[in-house]
Amino acid sequence: MILAENLSKTYGTQTVLNIDNLEIPKGQSFGLVGNNGAGKTTLFSLLLDLIEPTSGKITNQGVEVRTSEAWKPFTSAFIDESFLIGYLTPEEYFYFIGELRGQSRADVDALLANFEDFFHGEILAQKKYLRDLSKGNQKKVGIVASLIGSPEVVILDEPFANLDPTTQIRLKKVIKELADQREVTVLVSSHDLIHVTEVCERIVVLQKGEVVRDIKTTPETLRELEDFFENQLA
Amino acid sequence: MFRHFIRLQWKSFVRSASFKTEIWFKILMALGAIYFLLVFLSLGVGSYFIIEKAGLGDPLRVVNRFMIYYLAFDLYLRYMLQKMPVMNIRPLLYLPFKKSEVVRYSLGKTLLSFFNISHAFFFIPFSIVLLVKGYPVLSVLGWHLACFALIFANNFLNILINNVDRIFYPLILVLALLGVAQYYGWFDVTAYTAPVFDLFYDQPWTALLPWVLLVVAAVSAFRYFKKHLYLDAGLSTKQEVGRTEDYTWLNRFGNMGTFLKNDIKLIKRNKRSRTTVLVSFLFLFYGFFFFTGSVEAYDNPAMQVFAGIFVSGGFLFTFGQYVPSWDSAYYPLMMSQNIRYREYLNSKWWLIVIATLVSTVLAVFYLYFGWKAYLAIIVGAIYNLGINSYLVLWGGAYIKTPIDLGSNKKAFGDKQAFNGKTLLLILPKLLLPILVYLLGDWLWNETAGYLLVALFGILGFSFKDRVFQLIEKIYKKEKYKTLLAYKQKGA
């Protein structure tokens, strides 16, 4: 379970995140939507202890992320390209992450075999370093790397952006499979309302750092979200 | 049109992060620049007299003899380090500029580069000394202008052959072989090239020839560039062929091996880190100033301890001071993975240790200057291993400059490397060993001084754990600040 209490982040006079109470039960597939600057990445960064909260705290399966590092073994994430090591080949990168997460080469290879489809023949054995891959292919590598070592909490920031349509569809399948394992909590943020309603059982809308909607996904959810964001224009 | 270019250039200059710095640091930088200016000037003026004193013959003829190597080395340095002007013109392509204007501007910009200007510090004072010494004005002028043209021709030549390794490496290889052949007296290429340079002096009108060469080189660079002004041609960035490497022999080191593998790839596959290795190699030769007796102020054992620290510690200083910044590009990944700082630090430390040992072995040629010279280097190496290797990592913990692995920008120093804390740490790194030596020398004798420095180094080993704990604490305490600082790319 992930729990954010009185969590806020302020830069100068600007409050970018302010959450009284947010509880994400274990095994939930959780979607985060909101316009640019709504605080999605801020929330994920706080959860990964990459930035310091101005007030409040966030706990991950009972571990307060700021004071202990015990959350690291069961949590993994792909936020942006700063999670990739540009001078490694995809294989080297996977093995490196594998070694950090206590996985043998064979374990990693077995996992990668499941993603042959997802990689579409553009990732493995390409004789390219990560820095020379296209944005979309880099994203594929980052997403798959975040699944190494059977993490219990997987955090993906904007996983659908930059992916081609075929890969988007495959990614949805991957996330759904992950969400079906009841012990894995998946956190996904997205600008794409259709995708996020398809893969997440719960959707939270952030606006200017505050939770403005907290919806259990139903067939009507997409309509509801579209209405919400349309009204933002006015 | 040109007005726009100039304005862009000006903005990129004044808005660059290196300009926004504290006033005291600007003063320090200015002082440093003046110091190097004076050193180069004195070299330019002094080289005449040094050659004369060495009794090698007419200094001008001697310079001419080695000119071919000088030019080759210049070309080599340019090829390795000079940045091509293509990087900033991509956004200009689709704007209403004529292509020829864009090309002329970017080629023109290279003329003002450090790689051209720096030669003036040798050639101008040297020519002035020649004139003062009563060499005929017209001849000196012809020679001077010829050299001037050759240097600039190198500038354009480098642009032409840039990134064409198959021309460049054979060229350098041939010249290197010629150098070796000359050293062993098999074949003296300078016998054929020196007369060419002499000709510019003996027949000043021939100085026109290099100018013709310069014009040809400039025009062909212009044509080449204009023709290749496409994103997928001249403006494309070169992609290396990626090779997956295992280094399974490092597995025996456990988790530290994981990092060691990564660090080796880091050094091997990135331009910036390769330059660092090259620079640390050059440190090996720093000792010449001290052991050849060419600089009087350096000609004493205390300064030679100082030299020993530098000769063996090139990699230690150039690489070590930027730990953990080498991993800045993916620091968020490192911070969200289950990483033990101890193993991370240990891996970097071992790299430094290995490099220091290799440098010490390579420096064996200093034996030529007597066993005491090499002893000073060994002592320096022990001190480096035992004390400086931690201190440099400690200092690095305070430096929060993101490193762009793909470019050589700031490869030769960075303002942030000089904050108060790191300056304080320089004292034990460089001054303490000298003081320790002087103490030993004062109490007993020279050898005792050396041994005392070595003893300090050996004692230093026992502090490794303490210092690593300290560094870990700093890493943890400064984590958020470091992450934030690394996020500001290109700063």
Side-chain angles (χ1 to χ4, degrees):
Chain A
M1 189 178 78
I2 293 162
L3 185 63
E5 293 167 288
N6 301 320
L7 189 68
S8 80
K9 179 71 190 174
T10 309
Y11 292 106
T13 55
Q14 204 186 2
T15 302
V16 293
L17 194 74
N18 188 9
I19 294 177
D20 287 339
N21 189 294
L22 183 68
E23 197 182 311
I24 306 168
K26 191 172 165 86
Q28 191 169 61
S29 55
F30 176 89
L32 199 57
V33 295
N35 289 325
N36 289 333
K40 301 184 297 288
T41 309
T42 307
L43 177 59
F44 284 169
S45 301
L46 284 166
L47 180 54
L48 291 168
D49 193 37
L50 295 176
I51 53 178
E52 217 176 0
T54 311
S55 75
K57 63 174 184 179
I58 192 160
T59 53
N60 186 351
Q61 305 205 6
V63 181
E64 189 184 344
V65 296
R66 208 180 139 199
T67 49
S68 160
E69 295 185 68
W71 54 273
K72 284 180 177 175
F74 59 79
T75 309
S76 76
F78 182 65
I79 303 292
D80 54 23
E81 67 277 13
S82 69
F83 279 64
L84 298 173
I85 303 179
Y87 54 83
L88 297 183
T89 62
E91 287 91 337
E92 287 170 343
Y93 177 70
F94 291 132
Y95 293 140
F96 175 68
I97 300 289
E99 282 177 47
L100 291 181
R101 307 190 73 89
Q103 300 288 300
S104 74
R105 253 158 185 268
D107 296 337
V108 175
D109 284 335
L111 181 86
L112 293 182
N114 295 330
F115 290 96
E116 220 163 281
D117 222 22
F118 185 67
F119 287 150
H120 202 246
E122 286 168 332
I123 305 293
L124 298 177
Q126 292 299 298
K127 299 197 169 155
K128 273 188 183 173
Y129 296 127
L130 286 177
R131 61 182 173 215
D132 295 328
L133 292 181
S134 71
K135 285 257 182 290
N137 283 334
Q138 286 182 348
K139 195 145 232 169
K140 289 187 206 171
V141 172
I143 291 169
V144 171
S146 73
L147 304 179
I148 293 175
S150 331
E152 293 166 40
V153 177
V154 178
I155 301 162
L156 300 173
D157 196 14
E158 298 279 358
F160 295 104
N162 284 327
L163 292 183
D164 59 67
T166 310
T167 316
Q168 289 184 10
I169 293 164
R170 284 182 183 147
L171 178 60
K172 275 190 277 189
K173 220 177 99 207
V174 170
I175 295 177
K176 272 187 205 156
E177 278 169 15
L178 211 59
D180 284 342
Q181 304 170 23
R182 294 319 305 178
E183 70 278 17
V184 181
T185 316
V186 192
L187 284 76
V188 171
S189 79
S190 182
H191 283 157
D192 192 311
L193 301 176
I194 301 175
H195 290 326
V196 85
T197 44
E198 268 181 54
V199 297
C200 296
E201 49 190 304
R202 174 185 175 194
I203 290 168
V204 160
V205 182
L206 280 183
Q207 191 185 29
K208 293 187 178 141
E210 315 241 358
V211 175
V212 289
R213 289 280 192 288
D214 191 341
I215 311 165
K216 195 168 178 331
T217 317
T218 60
E220 287 78 48
T221 305
L222 181 60
R223 189 70 249 151
E224 194 184 338
L225 286 173
E226 277 176 348
D227 284 344
F228 174 82
F229 282 103
E230 202 172 340
N231 290 330
Q232 295 301 307
L233 292 172
Chain B
M1 290 289 178
F2 218 71
R3 207 161 41 94
H4 291 295
F5 290 137
I6 300 285
R7 202 183 296 158
L8 279 178
Q9 198 56 42
W10 177 247
K11 279 182 183 159
S12 92
F13 177 65
V14 288
R15 291 182 186 173
S16 72
S18 52
F19 222 68
K20 294 179 195 132
T21 160
E22 293 161 57
I23 183 73
W24 68 271
F25 185 74
K26 275 187 196 160
I27 295 170
L28 202 72
M29 240 166 35
L31 285 177
I34 291 171
Y35 170 78
F36 278 109
L37 218 73
L38 288 176
V39 168
F40 280 124
L41 275 178
S42 62
L43 265 179
V45 176
S47 47
Y48 180 93
F49 300 101
I50 292 171
I51 299 169
E52 195 180 43
K53 213 174 110 192
L56 294 169
D58 184 345
L60 177 67
R61 305 288 172 189
V62 175
V63 168
N64 277 345
R65 243 187 100 196
F66 290 102
M67 188 66 84
I68 184 74
Y69 292 120
Y70 183 90
L71 290 174
F73 189 65
D74 174 53
L75 192 61
Y76 175 75
L77 274 186
R78 284 172 192 275
Y79 190 83
M80 296 316 248
L81 300 176
Q82 193 174 5
K83 235 168 94 187
M84 283 297 97
V86 296
M87 290 311 146
N88 301 325
I89 58 181
R90 282 162 164 248
L92 300 178
L93 280 184
Y94 66 98
L95 291 174
F97 293 118
K98 278 203 185 111
K99 271 191 175 182
S100 50
E101 276 170 338
V102 176
V103 174
R104 217 176 298 142
Y105 160 73
S106 22
L107 288 182
K109 224 169 72 178
T110 63
L111 291 180
L112 297 175
S113 129
F114 167 82
F115 292 93
N116 295 317
I117 308 293
S118 55
H119 295 285
F121 291 107
F122 171 72
F123 282 104
I124 292 175
F126 187 74
S127 299
I128 290 173
V129 171
L130 289 179
L131 290 178
V132 172
K133 284 282 168 181
Y135 285 64
V137 178
L138 206 61
S139 302
V140 172
L141 204 65
W143 178 82
H144 184 84
L145 289 176
C147 294
F148 183 88
L150 285 172
I151 293 287
F152 280 96
N154 251 358
N155 182 59
F156 290 111
L157 218 59
N158 174 45
I159 291 171
L160 276 173
I161 61 169
N162 193 260
N163 288 338
V164 190
D165 287 351
R166 77 195 134 85
I167 299 182
F168 176 72
Y169 285 108
L171 196 74
I172 287 303
L173 188 72
V174 166
L175 282 162
L177 284 177
L178 286 173
V180 172
Q182 177 169 9
Y183 183 80
Y184 286 107
W186 301 328
F187 174 74
D188 187 357
V189 67
T190 58
Y192 300 93
T193 58
V196 176
F197 298 108
D198 286 340
L199 192 67
F200 301 140
Y201 173 78
D202 298 330
Q203 304 285 335
W205 66 267
T206 54
L208 272 176
L209 294 174
W211 281 88
V212 172
L213 178 73
L214 171 61
V215 170
V216 170
V219 169
S220 20
F222 175 82
R223 288 217 180 121
Y224 176 85
F225 238 105
K226 198 177 163 195
K227 202 173 134 205
H228 290 89
L229 206 62
Y230 293 98
L231 287 182
D232 57 352
L235 300 185
S236 68
T237 37
K238 204 169 62 167
Q239 283 196 359
E240 281 172 73
V241 175
R243 221 157 49 88
T244 299
E245 291 164 307
D246 291 342
Y247 304 132
T248 37
W249 50 278
L250 284 170
N251 284 345
R252 76 189 71 168
F253 295 107
N255 277 330
M256 196 190 91
T258 307
F259 292 115
L260 218 45
K261 277 184 221 173
N262 232 25
D263 286 334
I264 292 173
K265 287 169 191 164
L266 169 90
I267 291 171
K268 249 181 79 177
R269 296 180 184 171
N270 291 295
K271 197 170 172 189
R272 170 69 191 271
S273 43
R274 282 196 299 252
T275 307
T276 299
V277 173
L278 182 82
V279 170
S280 62
F281 184 70
L282 293 179
F283 268 66
L284 272 182
F285 304 101
Y286 187 56
F288 280 129
F289 290 112
F290 295 84
F291 298 117
T292 53
S294 54
V295 185
E296 224 165 277
Y298 291 167
D299 199 11
N300 62 68
M303 287 315 279
Q304 295 187 350
V305 171
F306 184 78
I309 298 269
F310 267 104
V311 167
S312 61
F315 186 79
L316 179 136
F317 288 114
T318 51
F319 183 84
Q321 69 162 334
Y322 289 120
V323 173
S325 293
W326 292 108
D327 300 302
S328 62
Y330 44 89
Y331 209 59
L333 170 81
M334 305 294 259
M335 286 300 111
S336 55
Q337 292 292 345
N338 203 18
I339 283 174
R340 272 173 215 93
Y341 292 106
R342 171 65 48 108
E343 283 155 0
Y344 172 83
L345 277 171
N346 245 331
S347 156
K348 305 279 194 231
W349 184 74
W350 271 106
L351 277 183
I352 290 172
V353 167
I354 293 164
T356 308
L357 291 176
V358 170
S359 305
T360 313
V361 172
L362 287 178
V364 72
F365 58 83
Y366 281 106
L367 273 175
Y368 179 77
F369 301 107
W371 62 272
K372 272 197 177 160
Y374 195 54
L375 183 67
I377 289 167
I378 291 179
V379 163
I382 295 174
Y383 190 85
N384 274 336
L385 291 176
I387 294 188
N388 282 348
S389 59
Y390 320 133
L391 289 182
V392 83
L393 290 174
W394 186 3
Y398 294 110
I399 301 176
K400 298 191 186 69
T401 324
I403 285 187
D404 181 1
L405 289 167
S407 95
N408 271 333
K409 228 170 80 191
K410 292 182 179 168
F412 298 103
D414 175 50
K415 57 159 177 133
Q416 283 213 36
F418 291 95
N419 58 46
K421 284 170 189 153
T422 49
L423 277 179
L424 263 180
L425 279 170
I426 286 182
L427 295 178
K429 275 188 249 181
L430 298 176
L431 291 185
L432 184 65
I434 296 181
L435 291 178
V436 168
Y437 168 80
L438 288 174
L439 182 74
D441 187 30
W442 179 65
L443 285 176
W444 301 287
N445 57 35
E446 255 181 47
T447 319
Y450 284 137
L451 289 179
L452 202 61
V453 177
L455 191 70
F456 255 69
I458 292 166
L459 285 177
F461 278 106
S462 53
F463 289 105
K464 187 181 160 200
D465 277 341
R466 290 287 299 277
V467 179
F468 271 27
Q469 267 168 25
L470 195 82
I471 299 173
E472 269 179 54
K473 225 183 261 169
I474 297 169
Y475 278 10
K476 277 184 188 150
K477 204 179 117 206
E478 312 256 308
K479 174 178 166 183
Y480 305 107
K481 274 195 221 161
T482 312
L483 276 163
L484 185 70
Y486 287 165
K487 223 173 151 183
Q488 277 141 16
K489 277 185 201 128

